[in-house]
Amino acid sequence: MKDVTVLAEGWTLRHEKAALPARVPGCVHTDLLAAGRIPDPFIGRNEEEVAWVGRADWTYDTVLGPRGTEHERTDLVFEGLDTAADITLGGERIGRTRNMHRTYRFDVTRRLAAVAPGAGTPLSVRFTSAYTEAEAVRTALGERPNSYPEPFQFIRKMACSFGWDWGPTLVTAGIWRPVRLEHWSTARLAEVRPVVTVDGTTGRAEFRVDVERTGGGPLTARARIGHRTATVTFEGTSTTLAVEVPDAGLWWPRGYGEQPLYDAEVELIGAAGAPLDRWERRIGFRTVALDTAADEHGTGFTLVVNGERIFARGVNWIPDDVFPSRITPERYRTRLTQAADAGVDLVRVWGGGIYEAREFYDVCDELGLMVWQDFLFACAAYPEEQPLRSEIEAEARDNVARLMPHPSLVLWNGNNENLWGFCDWEWEERLDGDSWGEGYYLGLLPRVVAETDPTRPYWAGSPWSGSWDHHPNDPAHGTAHSWEVWNRTDYTGYLESVPRFVAEFGWQAPPALATFRRALPGEELRPDSAGVLHHQKAEDGNGKLERGLAHHFAVPADFDRWHYLTQVNQARAVATGIEHWRSHWPRCAGTVVWQLNDCWPVTSWAAIDGDGRLKPLHHELRRLYADRLLTVQERAGRRVVAAVNQAGQAWETGVRLRRMTADGRVLAETTVALTAAARTVALADVPGELLPEAGSAKEFLVADADGLRALSLPVPDKEFAYPVPDYAVEAVRRGDRVDVVVTARTLVRDLLLAADRLAPTAAADRGLVTLLPGESVVIGVRGWDADPAGAEALAAVRAALFAVEPV
């Protein structure tokens, strides 16, 4: 059987004459941080102080021990090198790499065999600055347009390490994924590609096996799923064998069924019956298709899993740390569990980041989170010439084969915004006929997917209308990105269209106050303070926040009100879009919020900030993405109440409608019966007597059904006659939790307990909540050790409570 030696210890990092201990896997920045050689780039404006790191060259050194093996072959395997590396062993160059997103393998048998017995062999990995490499390729191939003043499209590296409108410019280098020696004889499994299908109740896994040999002769491959096996004896370097599983349990997205996973194994056996190598994964049986049929509204875009048409409740995922080697399996599980807790059933892995580690997809398999996987192209024109083209094909084949065992993976997507950019961002004129990536998205990548992973759909880009017959970002066709609303108008602009699938939209808000304080120690926090502005990477980001507020609220009196109201506006904006689009199912078949997470402490579109704290948006997503959603909408000039039911059972309910005044009086009331069949939307007109007077500053409509609530005001908040919020507060400890009970004496709109103001470790189990006079809410707080019965603690709770106030 193959032997493996993991090379994780004994590494040294060198720059010029300086040397320090290195951690592998890791990166230069994290090693410099551990050695105290650079300040934390996440703090203050230190990002600027460490910019030199990305411009420097670095070398990792270690010494391989004596060979100590009787195997015929030894390979040196790097799962990830970031990025432009020259590798020498015993002073002899063995390889040169230029792609962060590939695995590299080098035959080092001869070199290790030549070493004197008992002696070690020096191994060095010298990294050239990614800037140096990218700029050299740019010089050779010619300039290409992109959205940022950095050369990221000229090197196969995580694009967002060069900075983005939510991320710092921290250009990394290092051995960022594991490295090992593999010792083997006769043959090894070079690649196993399980093509998984379902026919009726029978699951079938066809294992396409490639091997590498040291010599000829027959080999045996045995595939096993549970107690069922298939065996084949073959010559040559490839074979195929299939295992059928009768009565296979289907893998379903969360909310639609269970997620049974099956242990699959392929074993390679030599002529004498000795085991040579083994491949093991978990697979799941399910079908997935993409319905893009034309209809009276345009061209659809609907995911279909096991024959069930699905409204995708999605979030966009970026790398969870600008230094990806710091992302642990536990961190993946925490963040993806937070996504599932918010009602999410689809995670789009965005194309400016990385193909995530296996553990990411394992957790998605377990939680029933569908994965939309971008190929790694974003917001730029990418050259199609060498040396990039062959790297891109190898990268695509490597990662399609690596990720295809995961049942959670439901879609391959060619790129992020590049087809759109060619049309709308003046690229076509600037390119003047130069290549820009179209051949990848419409030629190379669909061919790789068809040859390697034929059971999954491929889509050329996001946004993309399906063909050049329509504008790439035409909301009536395929996928759409809605960014004009955030950039130029008000979030009510979401109500003006019904895209077939909204793959990106979002609204910014700052991180939690405790996150700001950690990232900006000693700074007087203001929206325009130096540190706050440095941790706002979007073009005119704070200006857009303030203009977005101005549509709905008066100018905040201080930083605390600004912080609270921008959080409210983010949640309200996303709610406006999702409620509207979900109410138009099946015409609209999904929303993918930009974005779930952050890679550092920053003001951004994320629902979870860079320190892992939940913004009010995360709590709001729980309501918006629940199986049942109650909302008030417009239909052809009529006001309707919509019961959106994504559950597998019918929803029969009576919706209590009340026309109320700001001071809590009920002017009219009725109950409307609604029945929404499983996976449907039911609408009912709001009776005329329940409609608030047009332009009224004192009346509003409230709809309640089965614990769900929807509010509708006829005017913006700044014009509404809100009372001064008045409420009673109690706090009671219950084990490791403090229950804060708030009882409203007046209308209290968008009450928020900012728990991190009680303690940096504190977190509340609720976000924004609206109370009518006499109503109460219990907010559970964990991570706060104070005695809630004390006057000081109760005063702290009051200081951490916010609500919409009158102008």
Side-chain angles (χ1 to χ4, degrees):
M1 182 65 76
K2 176 174 69 179
D3 292 331
V4 174
T5 303
V6 177
L7 303 178
E9 305 295 332
W11 289 91
T12 299
L13 176 65
R14 290 190 293 109
H15 168 59
E16 296 178 344
K17 295 182 180 180
L20 58 144
R23 182 173 182 178
V24 173
C27 78
V28 169
H29 287 82
T30 54
D31 288 334
L32 292 170
L33 274 169
R37 300 292 183 90
I38 60 171
D40 187 341
F42 289 8
I43 304 302
R45 301 179 66 176
N46 290 342
E47 172 197 355
E48 298 169 345
E49 299 298 316
V50 304
W52 66 271
V53 176
R55 292 280 182 180
D57 299 337
W58 301 88
T59 300
Y60 284 78
D61 292 319
T62 193
V63 176
L64 304 185
R67 186 179 177 204
T69 177
E70 298 303 318
H71 281 292
E72 298 172 336
R73 172 86 171 260
T74 296
D75 292 342
L76 177 61
V77 182
F78 293 94
E79 292 187 20
L81 291 170
D82 176 15
T83 295
D86 287 273
I87 305 153
T88 60
L89 183 64
E92 183 180 350
R93 187 191 208 184
I94 63 169
R96 184 171 184 263
T97 74
R98 294 296 183 267
N99 194 325
M100 177 181 182
H101 309 300
R102 288 181 57 189
T103 294
Y104 289 94
R105 177 181 292 269
F106 304 100
D107 180 358
V108 295
T109 312
R110 178 183 59 81
R111 292 170 180 85
L112 292 182
V115 176
T121 309
L123 170 64
S124 293
V125 184
R126 183 183 184 275
F127 289 96
T128 301
S129 164
Y131 279 110
T132 303
E133 171 70 12
E135 288 162 359
V137 173
R138 180 174 60 187
T139 298
L141 301 183
E143 185 61 272
R144 301 291 199 282
N146 72 15
S147 298
Y148 301 96
E150 298 278 340
F152 61 82
Q153 76 266 49
F154 296 98
I155 185 170
R156 296 310 298 162
K157 174 178 173 56
M158 185 174 86
C160 64
S161 69
F162 288 89
W164 222 260
D165 55 5
W166 35 257
T169 302
L170 294 167
V171 178
T172 52
I175 305 172
W176 77 287
R177 279 183 167 160
V179 55
R180 63 186 180 272
L181 290 172
E182 289 188 2
H183 313 283
W184 56 277
S185 298
T186 306
R188 71 173 188 91
L189 292 169
E191 190 171 82
V192 177
R193 303 184 302 282
V195 178
V196 179
T197 55
V198 180
D199 183 7
T201 61
T202 299
R204 187 174 191 270
E206 180 182 282
F207 296 94
R208 299 177 180 181
V209 178
D210 293 331
V211 301
E212 185 178 11
R213 291 172 169 266
T214 60
L219 295 170
T220 298
R222 177 182 299 125
R224 177 183 294 110
I225 302 175
H227 297 298
R228 299 189 171 271
T229 62
T231 303
V232 62
T233 298
F234 66 102
E235 304 277 352
T237 59
S238 64
T239 190
T240 299
L241 60 168
V243 178
E244 292 191 347
V245 179
D247 300 319
L250 293 181
W251 184 96
W252 287 95
R254 63 177 305 279
Y256 289 81
E258 300 300 317
Q259 293 80 43
L261 298 171
Y262 292 80
D263 292 326
E265 174 188 286
V266 173
E267 190 174 27
L268 186 64
I269 301 168
L276 303 175
D277 202 356
R278 179 180 291 112
W279 174 96
E280 295 173 308
R281 294 290 189 278
R282 291 184 303 174
I283 64 171
F285 295 101
R286 55 101 186 95
T287 64
V288 59
L290 186 61
D291 184 353
T292 58
D295 57 25
E296 67 272 25
H297 303 296
T299 307
F301 187 94
T302 305
L303 285 165
V304 184
V305 179
N306 298 328
E308 184 80 52
R309 300 171 64 81
I310 290 174
F311 182 98
R313 294 168 278 188
V315 288
N316 282 275
W317 171 276
I318 66 170
D320 204 51
D321 196 314
V322 75
F323 306 130
S325 60
R326 295 200 299 201
I327 304 172
T328 63
E330 293 75 22
R331 186 158 159 186
Y332 277 133
R333 186 169 295 277
T334 294
R335 202 68 72 238
L336 291 168
T337 299
Q338 289 169 328
D341 288 345
V344 168
D345 61 18
L346 180 142
V347 178
R348 176 192 172 205
V349 181
W350 168 76
I354 59 175
Y355 304 100
E356 298 290 343
R358 173 180 169 181
E359 291 83 0
F360 173 94
Y361 304 91
D362 284 343
V363 175
C364 290
D365 292 343
E366 295 169 15
L367 296 180
L369 293 172
M370 295 180 287
V371 176
W372 160 328
Q373 177 68 56
D374 279 13
F375 287 100
L376 300 185
F377 304 88
C379 301
Y382 284 78
E384 297 178 39
E385 294 80 21
Q386 300 293 4
L388 292 174
R389 185 178 181 86
S390 58
E391 282 290 346
I392 285 166
E393 178 165 2
E395 168 192 318
R397 292 188 180 280
D398 189 339
N399 286 283
V400 170
R402 180 174 72 89
L403 300 182
M404 63 185 288
H406 295 279
S408 56
L409 180 58
V410 298
L411 181 71
W412 292 104
N413 178 61
N415 75 88
N416 177 75
E417 298 190 344
N418 294 345
L419 296 160
W420 179 23
F422 179 75
C423 286
D424 278 6
W425 301 347
E426 300 178 350
W427 288 6
E428 186 171 8
E429 298 84 353
R430 293 164 62 188
L431 285 162
D432 193 27
D434 286 342
S435 66
W436 57 275
E438 181 183 24
Y440 297 144
Y441 318 135
L442 300 180
L444 172 64
L445 295 175
R447 174 167 56 83
V448 169
V449 172
E451 293 172 357
T452 309
D453 188 17
T455 70
R456 284 184 181 85
Y458 170 86
W459 192 247
S462 187
W464 177 236
S465 61
S467 77
W468 288 117
D469 293 338
H470 308 286
H471 187 279
N473 200 27
D474 186 336
H477 301 277
T479 56
H481 289 193
S482 180
W483 284 118
E484 287 298 294
V485 171
W486 156 253
N487 285 320
R488 289 175 172 76
T489 63
D490 175 46
Y491 61 69
T492 55
Y494 292 136
L495 303 174
E496 297 174 3
S497 68
V498 183
R500 307 311 304 267
F501 192 103
V502 189
E504 278 190 24
F505 80 107
W507 204 268
Q508 274 200 350
L513 183 67
T515 300
F516 256 151
R517 285 177 172 159
R518 188 192 70 82
L520 304 174
E523 179 163 324
E524 179 188 353
L525 295 179
R526 303 186 314 275
D528 62 350
S529 67
V532 169
L533 289 178
H534 184 76
H535 289 250
Q536 162 62 278
K537 295 297 186 178
E539 182 181 0
D540 191 29
N542 273 20
K544 292 170 185 176
L545 283 175
E546 290 164 8
R547 290 191 291 276
L549 282 179
H551 289 290
H552 301 275
F553 300 104
V555 177
D558 54 32
F559 178 83
D560 285 344
R561 291 300 297 175
W562 174 85
H563 189 269
Y564 160 71
L565 288 175
T566 50
Q567 300 269 4
V568 170
N569 230 33
Q570 181 187 40
R572 294 259 197 101
V574 172
T576 297
I578 292 178
E579 289 185 23
H580 169 62
W581 294 320
R582 279 194 74 181
S583 77
H584 281 277
W585 162 257
R587 180 177 172 184
C588 178
T591 57
V592 189
V593 177
W594 187 271
Q595 62 214 64
L596 175 69
N597 57 326
D598 268 326
C599 64
W600 79 312
V602 66
T603 295
S604 82
W605 298 264
I608 305 169
D609 77 15
D611 281 5
R613 294 186 174 92
L614 307 183
K615 294 184 185 179
L617 173 59
H618 182 275
H619 297 281
E620 183 69 351
L621 286 175
R622 293 182 185 179
R623 180 183 73 85
L624 297 169
Y625 277 165
D627 283 349
R628 292 175 175 176
L629 173 67
L630 189 70
T631 179
V632 176
Q633 297 290 322
E634 287 276 346
R635 286 294 189 277
R638 304 174 355 257
R639 209 72 175 146
V640 300
V641 59
V644 181
N645 181 27
Q646 211 161 341
Q649 305 80 36
W651 183 17
E652 298 183 18
T653 189
V655 182
R656 184 188 182 192
L657 298 174
R658 285 176 284 176
R659 178 183 167 200
M660 300 186 67
T661 62
D663 60 9
R665 290 180 295 122
V666 178
L667 301 178
E669 180 176 346
T670 192
T671 299
V672 174
L674 271 177
T675 300
R679 324 289 190 200
T680 67
V681 178
L683 306 176
D685 287 343
V686 176
E689 66 273 17
L690 271 296
L691 293 173
E693 182 180 342
S696 172
K698 297 183 178 180
E699 297 181 9
F700 65 98
L701 172 68
V702 59
D704 291 290
D706 298 333
L708 306 180
R709 170 167 288 173
L711 259 69
S712 178
L713 275 63
V715 294
D717 289 75
K718 64 183 180 181
E719 299 174 17
F720 191 73
Y722 282 111
V724 175
D726 186 17
Y727 45 81
V729 181
E730 298 178 276
V732 180
R733 177 164 295 281
R734 303 189 189 281
D736 65 347
R737 187 183 79 234
V738 174
D739 282 349
V740 176
V741 184
V742 180
T743 302
R745 301 188 182 102
T746 62
L747 170 64
V748 179
R749 183 77 190 275
D750 283 332
L751 178 75
L752 175 68
L753 175 57
D756 63 292
R757 292 172 179 260
L758 301 174
T761 54
D765 63 3
R766 285 177 178 267
L768 301 167
V769 61
T770 293
L771 300 175
L772 303 179
E775 293 182 336
S776 296
V777 64
V778 179
I779 305 171
V781 177
R782 284 187 163 84
W784 186 39
D785 296 331
D787 177 6
E792 185 176 340
L794 200 57
V797 170
R798 284 191 168 277
L801 285 166
F802 295 85
V804 174
E805 296 178 349
V807 175

